[in-house]
Amino acid sequence: MRVTVISIPVLDQEKALQFYTLKLGFIKKRDIPLDGGNRWLTLVSKDAQDGPELLLEPAPLHFEPSKVYQEELMKAGIPYTQFDVDDVQKEYDRLVELGVEFSVKPTAMGTLKVAVLNDTCGNNIQLVEEL
């Protein structure tokens, strides 16, 4: 058993595609049109193009419990997911220059350093560096 696709709920697939590729640096892998104007839209890390795919899932638009869950995580400041990075401070500085908003600046927490950003599509995303 292995992880091949992980989904993240987004309010707008096109806006999410722009943010995740142009700001976070992911690469589009699949873009398959589906019914209702939705897409099977996946991204991969530029450093692991054969690795797990990140599905930009339009669930909050079509499934009320998903929308409520996403909204409540946002209100509570809880990250929906996390991405590992080699250097949180360097990534934070790069993303701030691109206009990305952070609710948590780089902070050491034991053996980790974390920062939390707003993906502009309804999610807090935590960046994590192992120290």
Side-chain angles (χ1 to χ4, degrees), residues 3 8 13 17 27 36 43 59-60 64 66 71 81 85 97 100 105 108 110 112 114 118 130:
V3 175
I8 186 163
Q13 284 185 303
L17 174 63
I27 297 170
L43 311 174
E64 188 64 23
S66 176
E71 287 173 351
T81 195
V85 297
E97 283 291 316
V100 175
K105 294 179 180 181
L112 303 174
V114 303
N118 179 332
E130 289 189 46

PDB file of all heavy atoms in Angstrom, residues 3 8 13 17 27 36 43 59-60 64 66 71 81 85 97 100 105 108 110 112 114 118 130:
ATOM      1  N   VAL A   3       0.742   5.837  -0.695  1.00  0.00           N
ATOM      2  CA  VAL A   3      -0.027   7.055  -0.948  1.00  0.00           C
ATOM      3  C   VAL A   3       0.315   7.538  -2.357  1.00  0.00           C
ATOM      4  O   VAL A   3       1.483   7.702  -2.700  1.00  0.00           O
ATOM      5  CB  VAL A   3       0.322   8.156   0.073  1.00  0.00           C
ATOM      6  CG1 VAL A   3      -0.384   9.447  -0.284  1.00  0.00           C
ATOM      7  CG2 VAL A   3      -0.040   7.715   1.472  1.00  0.00           C
ATOM      8  N   ILE A   8      -6.816  18.233  -1.118  1.00  0.00           N
ATOM      9  CA  ILE A   8      -6.999  19.407  -0.280  1.00  0.00           C
ATOM     10  C   ILE A   8      -8.210  20.148  -0.835  1.00  0.00           C
ATOM     11  O   ILE A   8      -8.308  20.361  -2.053  1.00  0.00           O
ATOM     12  CB  ILE A   8      -5.730  20.287  -0.246  1.00  0.00           C
ATOM     13  CG1 ILE A   8      -5.911  21.416   0.754  1.00  0.00           C
ATOM     14  CG2 ILE A   8      -5.369  20.816  -1.608  1.00  0.00           C
ATOM     15  CD1 ILE A   8      -4.627  22.077   1.157  1.00  0.00           C
ATOM     16  N   GLN A  13     -10.772  26.132  -8.005  1.00  0.00           N
ATOM     17  CA  GLN A  13      -9.670  25.329  -8.530  1.00  0.00           C
ATOM     18  C   GLN A  13      -8.666  26.150  -9.331  1.00  0.00           C
ATOM     19  O   GLN A  13      -7.464  25.935  -9.208  1.00  0.00           O
ATOM     20  CB  GLN A  13     -10.206  24.179  -9.393  1.00  0.00           C
ATOM     21  CG  GLN A  13     -10.795  23.042  -8.582  1.00  0.00           C
ATOM     22  CD  GLN A  13     -11.208  21.887  -9.462  1.00  0.00           C
ATOM     23  OE1 GLN A  13     -12.008  22.063 -10.381  1.00  0.00           O
ATOM     24  NE2 GLN A  13     -10.654  20.719  -9.185  1.00  0.00           N
ATOM     25  N   LEU A  17      -4.842  26.604  -8.388  1.00  0.00           N
ATOM     26  CA  LEU A  17      -3.792  26.210  -9.326  1.00  0.00           C
ATOM     27  C   LEU A  17      -2.748  27.318  -9.446  1.00  0.00           C
ATOM     28  O   LEU A  17      -1.542  27.057  -9.387  1.00  0.00           O
ATOM     29  CB  LEU A  17      -4.388  25.893 -10.698  1.00  0.00           C
ATOM     30  CG  LEU A  17      -3.381  25.598 -11.810  1.00  0.00           C
ATOM     31  CD1 LEU A  17      -2.562  24.347 -11.496  1.00  0.00           C
ATOM     32  CD2 LEU A  17      -4.111  25.451 -13.145  1.00  0.00           C
ATOM     33  N   ILE A  27       4.063  21.679  -9.525  1.00  0.00           N
ATOM     34  CA  ILE A  27       3.934  21.529 -10.975  1.00  0.00           C
ATOM     35  C   ILE A  27       2.631  20.794 -11.269  1.00  0.00           C
ATOM     36  O   ILE A  27       2.319  19.786 -10.631  1.00  0.00           O
ATOM     37  CB  ILE A  27       5.118  20.710 -11.535  1.00  0.00           C
ATOM     38  CG1 ILE A  27       6.427  21.463 -11.298  1.00  0.00           C
ATOM     39  CG2 ILE A  27       4.930  20.404 -13.012  1.00  0.00           C
ATOM     40  CD1 ILE A  27       7.653  20.625 -11.586  1.00  0.00           C
ATOM     41  N   GLY A  36     -19.856  19.419 -14.634  1.00  0.00           N
ATOM     42  CA  GLY A  36     -20.134  20.599 -13.828  1.00  0.00           C
ATOM     43  C   GLY A  36     -19.024  21.630 -13.796  1.00  0.00           C
ATOM     44  O   GLY A  36     -18.977  22.464 -12.902  1.00  0.00           O
ATOM     45  N   LEU A  43      -1.299  18.184  -8.685  1.00  0.00           N
ATOM     46  CA  LEU A  43       0.014  18.810  -8.715  1.00  0.00           C
ATOM     47  C   LEU A  43       1.023  17.872  -8.079  1.00  0.00           C
ATOM     48  O   LEU A  43       0.657  17.002  -7.294  1.00  0.00           O
ATOM     49  CB  LEU A  43      -0.011  20.118  -7.914  1.00  0.00           C
ATOM     50  CG  LEU A  43      -1.141  21.091  -8.198  1.00  0.00           C
ATOM     51  CD1 LEU A  43      -1.099  22.251  -7.214  1.00  0.00           C
ATOM     52  CD2 LEU A  43      -1.062  21.593  -9.620  1.00  0.00           C
ATOM     53  N   ALA A  59     -14.487  20.031  -3.345  1.00  0.00           N
ATOM     54  CA  ALA A  59     -15.506  19.502  -2.433  1.00  0.00           C
ATOM     55  C   ALA A  59     -16.313  20.559  -1.679  1.00  0.00           C
ATOM     56  O   ALA A  59     -17.524  20.398  -1.534  1.00  0.00           O
ATOM     57  CB  ALA A  59     -14.873  18.521  -1.437  1.00  0.00           C
ATOM     58  N   PRO A  60     -15.697  21.644  -1.172  1.00  0.00           N
ATOM     59  CA  PRO A  60     -16.499  22.610  -0.410  1.00  0.00           C
ATOM     60  C   PRO A  60     -17.636  23.233  -1.211  1.00  0.00           C
ATOM     61  O   PRO A  60     -18.594  23.735  -0.641  1.00  0.00           O
ATOM     62  CB  PRO A  60     -15.487  23.681  -0.006  1.00  0.00           C
ATOM     63  CG  PRO A  60     -14.166  23.029  -0.095  1.00  0.00           C
ATOM     64  CD  PRO A  60     -14.289  22.002  -1.176  1.00  0.00           C
ATOM     65  N   GLU A  64     -21.648  20.164   1.639  1.00  0.00           N
ATOM     66  CA  GLU A  64     -21.723  21.105   2.756  1.00  0.00           C
ATOM     67  C   GLU A  64     -20.857  20.705   3.958  1.00  0.00           C
ATOM     68  O   GLU A  64     -20.170  21.567   4.532  1.00  0.00           O
ATOM     69  CB  GLU A  64     -23.178  21.306   3.196  1.00  0.00           C
ATOM     70  CG  GLU A  64     -23.369  22.405   4.213  1.00  0.00           C
ATOM     71  CD  GLU A  64     -23.015  23.804   3.712  1.00  0.00           C
ATOM     72  OE1 GLU A  64     -23.022  24.064   2.496  1.00  0.00           O
ATOM     73  OE2 GLU A  64     -22.727  24.666   4.575  1.00  0.00           O
ATOM     74  N   SER A  66     -18.025  19.262   4.024  1.00  0.00           N
ATOM     75  CA  SER A  66     -16.645  19.617   3.696  1.00  0.00           C
ATOM     76  C   SER A  66     -16.437  21.113   3.849  1.00  0.00           C
ATOM     77  O   SER A  66     -15.416  21.562   4.390  1.00  0.00           O
ATOM     78  CB  SER A  66     -16.313  19.184   2.263  1.00  0.00           C
ATOM     79  OG  SER A  66     -15.020  19.597   1.916  1.00  0.00           O
ATOM     80  N   GLU A  71     -14.179  25.649   6.832  1.00  0.00           N
ATOM     81  CA  GLU A  71     -14.396  26.957   7.465  1.00  0.00           C
ATOM     82  C   GLU A  71     -14.018  26.942   8.938  1.00  0.00           C
ATOM     83  O   GLU A  71     -13.414  27.885   9.447  1.00  0.00           O
ATOM     84  CB  GLU A  71     -15.855  27.390   7.305  1.00  0.00           C
ATOM     85  CG  GLU A  71     -16.207  27.812   5.895  1.00  0.00           C
ATOM     86  CD  GLU A  71     -17.693  28.081   5.692  1.00  0.00           C
ATOM     87  OE1 GLU A  71     -18.511  27.776   6.613  1.00  0.00           O
ATOM     88  OE2 GLU A  71     -18.038  28.589   4.614  1.00  0.00           O
ATOM     89  N   THR A  81      -3.239  20.917   6.239  1.00  0.00           N
ATOM     90  CA  THR A  81      -2.174  19.950   5.983  1.00  0.00           C
ATOM     91  C   THR A  81      -0.838  20.643   6.172  1.00  0.00           C
ATOM     92  O   THR A  81      -0.773  21.824   6.495  1.00  0.00           O
ATOM     93  CB  THR A  81      -2.295  19.332   4.571  1.00  0.00           C
ATOM     94  OG1 THR A  81      -1.470  18.170   4.481  1.00  0.00           O
ATOM     95  CG2 THR A  81      -1.926  20.321   3.484  1.00  0.00           C
ATOM     96  N   VAL A  85       9.693  21.449   4.266  1.00  0.00           N
ATOM     97  CA  VAL A  85      10.654  22.277   3.539  1.00  0.00           C
ATOM     98  C   VAL A  85      12.023  22.125   4.196  1.00  0.00           C
ATOM     99  O   VAL A  85      12.124  21.728   5.356  1.00  0.00           O
ATOM    100  CB  VAL A  85      10.233  23.771   3.508  1.00  0.00           C
ATOM    101  CG1 VAL A  85       8.920  23.958   2.761  1.00  0.00           C
ATOM    102  CG2 VAL A  85      10.133  24.351   4.898  1.00  0.00           C
ATOM    103  N   GLU A  97       7.799  37.780   0.044  1.00  0.00           N
ATOM    104  CA  GLU A  97       8.138  38.626  -1.112  1.00  0.00           C
ATOM    105  C   GLU A  97       7.106  38.471  -2.232  1.00  0.00           C
ATOM    106  O   GLU A  97       6.881  39.401  -3.002  1.00  0.00           O
ATOM    107  CB  GLU A  97       9.532  38.280  -1.646  1.00  0.00           C
ATOM    108  CG  GLU A  97      10.651  38.830  -0.821  1.00  0.00           C
ATOM    109  CD  GLU A  97      10.759  40.343  -0.909  1.00  0.00           C
ATOM    110  OE1 GLU A  97      10.665  40.892  -2.025  1.00  0.00           O
ATOM    111  OE2 GLU A  97      10.923  40.976   0.151  1.00  0.00           O
ATOM    112  N   VAL A 100       2.452  36.329  -0.053  1.00  0.00           N
ATOM    113  CA  VAL A 100       1.737  35.299   0.713  1.00  0.00           C
ATOM    114  C   VAL A 100       1.594  35.766   2.163  1.00  0.00           C
ATOM    115  O   VAL A 100       2.540  36.290   2.751  1.00  0.00           O
ATOM    116  CB  VAL A 100       2.481  33.944   0.638  1.00  0.00           C
ATOM    117  CG1 VAL A 100       1.817  32.906   1.520  1.00  0.00           C
ATOM    118  CG2 VAL A 100       2.548  33.464  -0.809  1.00  0.00           C
ATOM    119  N   LYS A 105       4.480  33.184  11.985  1.00  0.00           N
ATOM    120  CA  LYS A 105       5.819  33.379  11.433  1.00  0.00           C
ATOM    121  C   LYS A 105       6.697  32.208  11.859  1.00  0.00           C
ATOM    122  O   LYS A 105       6.333  31.460  12.775  1.00  0.00           O
ATOM    123  CB  LYS A 105       6.396  34.697  11.940  1.00  0.00           C
ATOM    124  CG  LYS A 105       5.649  35.907  11.426  1.00  0.00           C
ATOM    125  CD  LYS A 105       6.223  37.188  11.964  1.00  0.00           C
ATOM    126  CE  LYS A 105       5.422  38.365  11.419  1.00  0.00           C
ATOM    127  NZ  LYS A 105       5.939  39.649  11.874  1.00  0.00           N
ATOM    128  N   ALA A 108      10.259  28.066  16.292  1.00  0.00           N
ATOM    129  CA  ALA A 108      10.835  26.786  16.720  1.00  0.00           C
ATOM    130  C   ALA A 108       9.902  26.137  17.730  1.00  0.00           C
ATOM    131  O   ALA A 108       9.386  26.798  18.639  1.00  0.00           O
ATOM    132  CB  ALA A 108      12.213  27.009  17.335  1.00  0.00           C
ATOM    133  N   GLY A 110      10.375  22.685  19.675  1.00  0.00           N
ATOM    134  CA  GLY A 110      11.118  21.461  19.944  1.00  0.00           C
ATOM    135  C   GLY A 110      12.092  21.169  18.819  1.00  0.00           C
ATOM    136  O   GLY A 110      12.956  21.981  18.506  1.00  0.00           O
ATOM    137  N   LEU A 112      11.320  20.970  15.694  1.00  0.00           N
ATOM    138  CA  LEU A 112      10.759  21.464  14.439  1.00  0.00           C
ATOM    139  C   LEU A 112      10.776  22.983  14.401  1.00  0.00           C
ATOM    140  O   LEU A 112      10.774  23.634  15.438  1.00  0.00           O
ATOM    141  CB  LEU A 112       9.308  20.997  14.272  1.00  0.00           C
ATOM    142  CG  LEU A 112       9.012  19.515  14.300  1.00  0.00           C
ATOM    143  CD1 LEU A 112       7.513  19.286  14.268  1.00  0.00           C
ATOM    144  CD2 LEU A 112       9.690  18.815  13.144  1.00  0.00           C
ATOM    145  N   VAL A 114       8.228  25.755  12.403  1.00  0.00           N
ATOM    146  CA  VAL A 114       6.995  25.796  11.616  1.00  0.00           C
ATOM    147  C   VAL A 114       6.623  27.230  11.271  1.00  0.00           C
ATOM    148  O   VAL A 114       7.044  28.179  11.932  1.00  0.00           O
ATOM    149  CB  VAL A 114       5.809  25.134  12.372  1.00  0.00           C
ATOM    150  CG1 VAL A 114       6.138  23.696  12.736  1.00  0.00           C
ATOM    151  CG2 VAL A 114       5.429  25.916  13.605  1.00  0.00           C
ATOM    152  N   ASN A 118      -1.728  31.235   4.563  1.00  0.00           N
ATOM    153  CA  ASN A 118      -3.083  31.184   4.027  1.00  0.00           C
ATOM    154  C   ASN A 118      -2.965  30.912   2.530  1.00  0.00           C
ATOM    155  O   ASN A 118      -2.332  31.676   1.803  1.00  0.00           O
ATOM    156  CB  ASN A 118      -3.778  32.532   4.278  1.00  0.00           C
ATOM    157  CG  ASN A 118      -5.180  32.583   3.737  1.00  0.00           C
ATOM    158  OD1 ASN A 118      -5.542  31.917   2.771  1.00  0.00           O
ATOM    159  ND2 ASN A 118      -6.002  33.403   4.359  1.00  0.00           N
ATOM    160  N   GLU A 130      12.461  20.035   9.901  1.00  0.00           N
ATOM    161  CA  GLU A 130      13.052  19.284  11.005  1.00  0.00           C
ATOM    162  C   GLU A 130      14.392  19.893  11.332  1.00  0.00           C
ATOM    163  O   GLU A 130      15.221  20.098  10.447  1.00  0.00           O
ATOM    164  CB  GLU A 130      13.198  17.811  10.640  1.00  0.00           C
ATOM    165  CG  GLU A 130      11.878  17.087  10.564  1.00  0.00           C
ATOM    166  CD  GLU A 130      12.040  15.593  10.422  1.00  0.00           C
ATOM    167  OE1 GLU A 130      12.863  15.009  11.170  1.00  0.00           O
ATOM    168  OE2 GLU A 130      11.336  15.016   9.576  1.00  0.00           O
TER     169      GLU A 130
END
